[in-house]
Amino acid sequence: MRTVAVVGASLAGLSAARSLRKQGFDGRLVVIGDEPHRPYDRPPLSKEFLAGTLGEAELALETEDEDLAAEWLLGTRATGLDHTARAVRLADGREVRADGFVIATGAVARALPGSDGLAGVHTLRTLDDARALRDELARGGRLVVIGGGFIGAEVASTAYALGLDVTVVEAAATPLAGPLGATMGAVVSGLHADHGVRLLCGVGVKGLSGEHRVDAVLLEDGRSVPANIVVVGVGARPCVEWLAGSGIALDNGVKCGADGRTSLAGVVAVGDCANWYDPRAGHHRRVEHWTGARERPEAAVATLLAGGAVEPGVPRPPYFWSDQYGVRIQFAGHAGEADSVTVEAGAADDRDVLAVYRRAGRPVAVLGMNQPRLFMRVRKELAAATS
Amino acid sequence: MMIPACRLADLPRGEAFRLDTDPPVSVFHTDDGEVYAIDDTCTHQDASLADGWLEGCEVECPLHASKFDLRTGAVDSPPAKLPVRTHEVVVEDGMIYVRLSTDAPNLPPCISARLAGGPA
């Protein structure tokens, strides 16, 4: 393999580029990114960066003396993959020919229909999104966060600390019930009320009101919540439109084997756009976690360099973290598989808790709030139990 | 400075022992039976590496998954960018001793500020 093109220049793309060099690839390496920025870390965008305690230089993922001997094509979007010609087409008309391809184009934040062109309405996914939101939050006022998931909750927590009046609107009866289950979802989202942030659950959003700038969020039950800043945190969808017509199998992102291989030879996919087969579960899962974006490229790159002849290792249970209102939240595993949840240390009411999720007595997931030491112990047991 | 940490027999393989020095230092006993000492605090954010995931000669930060090589202190995974200090380990008469490095530590921004007397 003489040339590899990595399409996507965030954590998954950078991890793939690093893995390529680490695994001995010494050919031409081209990294393509639609944002103009070098790879940066996204988790602080809803927390320290938004709060103004962390600057842009500190978001950089590359170290100062790092040199991957890669060609960086930044600020240009991939518009097509021509598998027959072995080429990626770019929006600026250029074309990158390569023998191997790593698809790492990530996901984009879902917007609220009809909110285009209304000032004060934000999504949070990129550095540019975060810059714009940070500048608005600095002016203060009333913030309404639509969506009580992790991004929404982190923004609410950060904005609360900055002194804004914050309301979170969540369509489901319990926020975070998807990733954490209803019981612990209620415990974690209880952090909002603990700090005087209003949480309106079980009600959808009908639309936004305002002439040029948003002035309220209109709810489906007829209520109107005043707002001069709105953050829409209703999830993300994989960036795979550009692969239409390439012949690659798409199904909730790029469909991959347990080793990252796609339906096209010499093409692997990693990160938030990739729907990997999970051999333990017996089905595909698309996991939008920082840790997956960092860890999986190693296996995918091994697959690419070996021409698809490697036996994939068993991945560790997915892991993610969140910091809200000064509480460190950690989660590993799959809550959806559990038939019971038990608090094993601390107390839910104190938001200082270790909860273990089990199915038929076997641990399948673990949640920690301010319990890093115990959490890691159970996380290791979980990996051993499910490997 | 040479400081006694703990008895080798009291530190099972795969476990770590944290010394309450300032900054704290941790001693790791690997599954292969080697003993290493490094600064306990992740260089990215305030977290104890003694609580981390030990595998081979690498420890992964329990919070954000940065990995450090116990032998060299080198970091090989983001989000951390700086290595941790390593310290010399001596095992004598069944006791583990650590000779503290005289290099400057690489502490995360929040801790550096505290040590410098600034806001935490």
Side-chain angles (χ1 to χ4, degrees):
Chain A
M1 196 161 283
R2 292 164 66 177
T3 303
V4 174
V6 176
V7 190
S10 192
L11 177 64
L14 174 66
S15 299
R18 282 176 168 164
S19 291
L20 279 160
R21 291 308 189 206
K22 210 169 176 176
Q23 293 179 33
F25 174 69
D26 60 2
R28 181 176 174 230
L29 174 57
V30 185
V31 185
I32 299 156
D34 65 339
E35 293 179 63
H37 315 293
R38 295 291 282 217
Y40 61 87
D41 206 26
R42 290 188 205 278
L45 295 182
S46 52
K47 303 187 274 275
E48 301 91 339
F49 180 79
L50 203 55
T53 57
L54 194 76
E56 288 185 19
E58 289 156 299
L59 295 178
L61 284 169
E62 297 163 280
T63 57
E64 270 173 30
D65 56 354
E66 185 166 10
D67 183 9
L68 292 167
E71 292 166 41
W72 296 84
L73 303 182
L74 299 176
T76 184
R77 181 179 290 271
T79 54
L81 175 67
D82 185 336
H83 192 244
T84 315
R86 310 297 295 169
V88 176
R89 286 192 301 273
L90 306 181
D92 59 14
R94 281 184 290 181
E95 200 176 76
V96 178
R97 287 176 181 274
D99 317 293
F101 300 88
V102 179
I103 310 290
T105 39
V108 283
R110 285 204 178 89
L112 201 64
S115 61
D116 288 357
L118 202 56
V121 183
H122 297 261
T123 53
L124 179 53
R125 180 83 195 171
T126 65
L127 175 57
D128 295 341
D129 293 342
R131 283 175 178 163
L133 180 58
R134 184 188 58 187
D135 293 348
E136 287 230 285
L137 291 182
R139 295 208 297 266
R142 287 173 185 268
L143 167 71
V144 174
V145 178
I146 300 174
F150 283 104
I151 290 286
E154 288 173 0
V155 170
S157 159
T158 306
Y160 159 80
L162 291 171
L164 280 84
D165 177 273
V166 185
T167 303
V168 177
V169 181
E170 165 63 43
T174 310
L176 306 171
L180 302 184
T183 309
M184 297 317 293
V187 170
V188 173
S189 59
L191 284 166
H192 294 303
D194 294 352
H195 293 85
V197 167
R198 279 180 301 279
L199 174 61
L200 308 176
C201 289
V203 59
V205 169
K206 195 165 69 183
L208 304 174
S209 79
E211 279 285 323
H212 302 290
R213 184 176 186 87
V214 67
D215 59 33
V217 174
L218 309 173
L219 305 184
E220 279 177 345
D221 62 8
R223 279 183 289 178
S224 166
V225 187
N228 58 327
I229 310 169
V230 168
V231 172
V232 181
V234 294
R237 58 177 175 77
C239 285
V240 292
E241 296 90 343
W242 68 281
L243 291 165
S246 66
I248 202 166
L250 298 175
D251 174 17
N252 181 29
V254 181
K255 205 169 176 183
C256 300
D259 54 2
R261 83 177 70 182
T262 70
S263 64
L264 297 180
V267 183
V268 295
V270 294
D272 291 2
C273 71
N275 191 12
W276 280 48
Y277 182 72
D278 181 339
R280 285 183 288 110
H283 57 80
H284 286 75
R285 294 187 203 266
R286 193 172 66 80
V287 178
E288 293 179 1
H289 292 170
W290 188 99
T291 36
R294 193 193 64 65
E295 288 168 3
R296 293 209 155 160
E298 198 173 317
V301 160
T303 303
L304 187 70
L305 294 178
V310 287
E311 192 62 34
V314 177
R316 295 194 293 181
Y319 162 68
F320 66 86
W321 73 88
S322 178
D323 292 314
Q324 297 170 26
Y325 304 101
V327 175
R328 193 154 272 171
I329 299 155
Q330 295 173 282
F331 186 87
H334 298 283
E337 294 174 358
D339 54 30
S340 74
V341 187
T342 328
V343 170
E344 313 224 332
D349 287 349
D350 299 339
R351 319 296 181 210
D352 173 359
V353 70
L354 187 92
V356 178
Y357 298 62
R358 291 189 174 82
R359 179 184 188 83
R362 270 169 59 106
V364 293
V366 54
L367 168 74
M369 297 177 80
N370 281 343
Q371 293 276 2
R373 178 162 219 155
L374 276 178
F375 176 85
M376 180 57 93
R377 193 171 298 169
V378 181
R379 187 181 164 202
K380 288 194 98 158
E381 288 169 16
L382 192 65
T386 52
S387 62
Chain B
M1 187 171 63
M2 189 80 124
I3 46 175
C6 61
R7 301 196 61 79
L8 182 61
D10 293 338
L11 185 62
R13 291 185 183 198
E15 297 280 325
F17 178 82
R18 181 165 52 225
L19 280 158
D20 287 327
T21 44
D22 193 13
V25 165
S26 280
V27 180
F28 293 84
H29 194 180
T30 70
D31 287 328
D32 293 335
E34 302 288 336
V35 182
Y36 299 100
I38 61 172
D39 276 350
D40 179 60
T41 310
C42 178
T43 60
H44 165 246
Q45 210 170 61
D46 188 9
S48 167
L49 295 175
D51 294 343
W53 187 298
L54 182 62
E55 197 166 300
C57 276
E58 267 195 336
V59 64
E60 176 187 307
C61 172
L63 287 186
H64 301 155
S66 284
K67 287 183 183 177
F68 297 91
D69 189 317
L70 298 177
R71 297 163 296 190
T72 61
V75 60
D76 84 337
S77 263
K81 280 175 269 186
L82 296 172
V84 289
R85 276 193 314 184
T86 57
H87 308 278
E88 188 190 342
V89 171
V90 176
V91 180
E92 217 171 77
D93 298 330
M95 190 73 192
I96 301 171
Y97 296 88
V98 175
R99 191 191 305 275
L100 289 182
S101 163
T102 53
D103 297 345
N106 288 323
L107 296 171
C110 53
I111 306 265
S112 307
R114 178 171 60 76
L115 289 181

